[in-house]
Amino acid sequence: MSAGLQLVAHVAGRGLLFDATRVDSVVDLPPVVPTPGAPATIRGLAALRSRVATVIETHRVLGLPRGSGGGRGVVTMIDGHLYAIAVDTLEDVAGLAIAPPPAGMALEGGWSAVSGIADGENETLLMLDLDRLVALASA
């Protein structure tokens, strides 16, 4: 098990965790400009703090129904590019013990971004690897 600080968020009712050391900021997503030819997992581009960010449709990457709209964003920098990971809600930062996913847990498709699990308040939280999530969204 590993411990550290994680940002707790929800997408389509699923509790997700992001490594707090990888989170640049959290934002209310501004209007997004669609990008022609991009996969459905990319909502488009948005101006964040005078910089352009690619907005990831997290529910689509994970194969979940659209939640409450993905109006919040977890902002991170990967390979010099800014990304906003769309989530429905942002809860808080918590220090949780992260365990590896159980051996029998099916982690196919977008769920291959799950790098661990933790016990939250009345739910199991899934830790997402931001690099893997962005790679899956961009494929």
Side-chain angles (χ1 to χ4, degrees), residues 109-121:
W111 293 106
S112 66
V114 172
S115 60
I117 62 168
D119 290 326
E121 292 184 27

Side-chain angles (χ1 to χ4, degrees), residues 2 39 51 66 109:
S2 65
R51 295 169 46 198
R66 187 169 179 93

Side-chain angles (χ1 to χ4, degrees), residues 25-52:
S25 63
V26 294
V27 298
D28 289 321
L29 290 174
V32 177
V33 177
T35 49
T41 52
I42 304 290
R43 185 181 301 179
L45 302 174
L48 299 176
R49 299 180 312 267
S50 301
R51 295 169 46 198
V52 176

